[in-house]
Amino acid sequence: MAGPDTSRAGFEEFVVARRAALLRTAYLLTGSQEDAEDLVQVALVKVVPHWARIADRPEPYVRRVLARESVSRWRRRRWREVSTAEPPEVRALGDGAGEASDRDLLRSALAALPPRQRAVIVLRYYEDLTEQQTAEALGVAVGTVKSQAREGLARLRALVPQAVDGAPTTVEA
């Protein structure tokens, strides 16, 4: 039986096979398609030197790099302010688009969470990882995952109460 492919071709096969899933996770972590693409690129560059060691199970390692790099990028950028002549337009949510509007509402609520809570919510509930797997991916204790998930979900409930109550987010005439 052959072992994992530790060659460049093995890495490229992994990237081709998992690119969409990695971009989805990165998008949920960053809230922006452009930032998600950058995050995946940076994570893959950081993974390449370790490929021979992780080739048999690369997914958990890559997720860990994505989550940690996302938090690090946020910390580096949070103090920067962007001056503009006019304030940016704010997109209105819940304008009758139904399910797409619900997704937008939840996506913007997710973006409002602190980076660590967002990472826990994305890994636990979007990527469907266990508490233990999430803790390993983030390099934190299981208790931290539990508390961050609890606080993140409470914040999401406060930001999107209609999703919790089961009430529709749009009113149909």
Side-chain angles (χ1 to χ4, degrees):
M1 179 179 353
D5 187 354
T6 61
S7 69
R8 177 184 174 137
F11 176 75
E12 290 173 356
E13 287 175 20
F14 168 76
V15 172
V16 168
R18 299 302 299 157
R19 182 176 184 274
L22 295 174
L23 280 171
R24 181 188 70 222
T25 300
Y27 179 80
L28 292 169
L29 290 169
T30 63
S32 157
Q33 186 65 34
E34 295 81 16
D35 287 342
E37 290 170 359
D38 290 345
L39 180 60
V40 169
Q41 185 69 29
V42 167
L44 292 174
V45 166
K46 288 187 174 201
V47 165
V48 169
H50 307 283
W51 184 252
R53 182 174 48 90
I54 65 163
D56 59 332
R57 287 193 60 233
E59 192 89 18
Y61 189 86
V62 175
R63 268 197 223 110
R64 178 180 308 146
V65 173
L66 280 173
R68 288 182 177 178
E69 187 61 27
S70 173
V71 171
S72 294
R73 288 166 56 98
W74 178 83
R75 286 180 180 151
R76 283 191 302 266
R77 291 171 29 171
R78 74 177 173 192
W79 62 270
R80 296 181 187 155
E81 291 183 17
V82 177
S83 299
T84 61
E86 296 179 30
E89 291 183 26
V90 177
R91 192 170 69 172
L93 298 176
D95 56 2
E99 188 177 317
S101 176
D102 292 345
R103 275 195 304 272
D104 287 342
L105 188 61
L106 288 172
R107 191 174 296 128
S108 62
L110 185 64
L113 295 178
R116 185 167 281 179
Q117 286 178 7
R118 185 179 332 137
V120 167
I121 297 297
V122 167
L123 294 176
R124 281 284 291 133
Y125 302 105
Y126 285 90
E127 291 295 321
D128 202 26
L129 298 183
T130 65
E131 289 171 341
Q132 181 65 39
Q133 291 169 325
T134 302
E136 290 171 5
L138 295 174
V140 298
V142 173
T144 302
V145 169
K146 290 178 182 181
S147 66
Q148 293 292 309
R150 182 187 67 245
E151 292 167 12
L153 290 172
R155 177 107 168 111
L156 286 175
R157 286 183 189 104
L159 292 168
V160 190
Q162 61 270 31
V164 175
D165 299 337
T169 56
T170 58
V171 178
E172 297 179 348

